[in-house]
Amino acid sequence: MTTLVLGATSRIAQQIAQRYAESGDKVFVAARDVEEAERIAADLAVRHQVKALAGRFDALATDDHSGLIDHVEAELGPVTTAILAFGDMGDQDRSQESFADAKRVIDVNYTGAVSICEALAAKMTSRGAGTIVGVGSVAGDRGRKSNYIYGSAKGAFGLYLQGLRNRLHSEGVHVMTAKLGFVDTRMTYGMATKIPVASPEAASAAIFEAARRRVDVLYYPSFWRAIMGVIKGIPEKAFKRLSL
Ligand SMILES: NC(=O)c1ccc[n+]([C@@H]2O[C@H](COP(=O)([O-])OP(=O)(O)OC[C@H]3O[C@@H](n4cnc5c(N)ncnc54)[C@H](OP(=O)(O)O)[C@@H]3O)[C@@H](O)[C@H]2O)c1
């Protein structure tokens, strides 16, 4: 079995890679920072005695995406599980000032994610097997003034995954959406919140287990499903007056 981890420098991604390697999978870790990805792969290989390789993945370089999958499969065999762990939260204020900033956030979280998923779907449907895990965000469940550029890109990604899951179900390929709440990583460093923050270890364990059980939509931590249920239920007339 071969697992491909995209956005491998994320702490959540690294922990997920550890879990798949621990289970005996060959692992390919792909990231913008190839040197760091190579360090991560070397660590996986030593720690778990599995074949682990690294390569370059940039969500914005969509022309390279199917070539990357061809390369991974030539080196490690058919990809059985692919984890899309990359993301760019950007900065809402900067995105309002500069469309270039907003466009990058949209392109990393949505366009780039769709591009690599389509390339993966083509391979997996030809074999009638595979699992694609898209790491989304509760931010994609409702547009809020504090992060609606990132939120809308993650929301669009969530809708895309829903459609892909619907399309690939009859082809033997499973698609899971992991909607994360706050996790203690580089992305949330310095953010103040009264809501409990999960560890990357716990988030990765939940994603790994849910993917094995072929869950469709995972909220982690699970209390976010209820929180977002309430938030989504607030009428727009009242919601637009709130500061969230
Ligand atoms: N932390 C949270 O509270 C939280 C909540 C909801 C969802 N998420 C999602 O969880 C996933 C992992 O994020 P994280 O929290 O671990 O944050 P992180 O450490 O900032 O990880 C983000 C990852 O995305 C990669 N990335 C950014 N732009 C990219 C691009 N153009 N091409 C390829 N990779 C790119 C980063 O690579 P570099 O190292 O090269 O920058 C890094 O590996 C993301 O999808 C994020 O949206 C996180």
Side-chain angles (χ1 to χ4, degrees):
M1 309 259 262
T2 297
T3 292
L4 168 62
V5 179
L6 298 149
T9 50
S10 136
R11 279 186 62 201
I12 299 169
Q14 287 177 50
Q15 292 295 323
I16 293 176
Q18 292 284 350
R19 288 182 187 273
Y20 279 94
E22 194 178 16
S23 76
D25 277 19
K26 292 172 271 181
V27 181
F28 194 100
V29 289
R32 289 190 295 191
D33 183 342
V34 181
E35 276 184 25
E36 184 57 20
E38 279 167 354
R39 273 193 288 276
I40 294 165
D43 179 68
L44 290 170
V46 170
R47 224 184 262 266
H48 303 290
Q49 300 295 301
V50 294
K51 196 162 178 193
L53 297 176
R56 181 172 167 75
F57 169 73
D58 186 337
L60 299 175
T62 51
D63 287 349
D64 300 343
H65 289 179
S66 39
L68 170 68
I69 296 165
D70 287 341
H71 171 68
V72 174
E73 299 206 334
E75 294 289 331
L76 297 181
V79 174
T80 45
T81 304
I83 316 282
L84 281 76
F86 57 92
D88 182 345
M89 191 161 65
D91 177 284
Q92 178 65 33
D93 290 339
R94 235 184 295 134
S95 288
Q96 285 167 211
E97 284 155 20
S98 142
F99 181 67
D101 198 87
K103 185 175 185 305
R104 192 198 68 247
V105 172
I106 294 163
D107 285 346
V108 171
N109 294 294
Y110 184 60
T111 318
V114 170
S115 163
I116 194 80
C117 278
E118 288 296 314
L120 285 161
K123 291 279 186 198
M124 289 177 172
T125 50
S126 72
R127 298 188 284 264
T131 298
I132 298 172
V133 175
V135 179
S137 171
V138 297
D141 276 8
R142 188 149 194 185
R144 291 179 295 122
K145 67 178 173 185
S146 57
N147 72 349
Y148 66 85
I149 297 295
Y150 170 71
S152 64
K154 284 293 196 189
F157 182 43
L159 270 185
Y160 166 79
L161 289 173
Q162 208 169 41
L164 188 68
R165 178 162 42 249
N166 191 204
R167 180 191 137 206
L168 299 188
H169 174 68
S170 57
E171 310 258 7
V173 178
H174 181 62
V175 177
M176 182 174 107
T177 311
K179 294 191 183 186
L180 302 182
F182 290 118
V183 183
D184 182 16
T185 66
R186 218 177 349 149
M187 191 174 274
T188 49
Y189 180 75
M191 255 185 210
T193 169
K194 291 192 177 102
I195 300 172
V197 177
S199 69
E201 290 76 11
S204 68
I207 292 169
F208 177 78
E209 282 308 321
R212 295 226 135 180
R213 287 188 286 112
R214 293 170 89 81
V215 165
D216 293 320
V217 180
L218 168 77
Y219 276 83
Y220 190 81
S222 58
F223 59 73
W224 277 99
R225 189 183 287 275
I227 293 179
M228 294 318 297
V230 170
I231 288 181
K232 283 192 286 187
I234 301 171
E236 204 59 32
K237 236 182 164 60
F239 196 78
K240 70 184 180 189
R241 296 186 165 82
L242 299 177
S243 236
L244 287 170

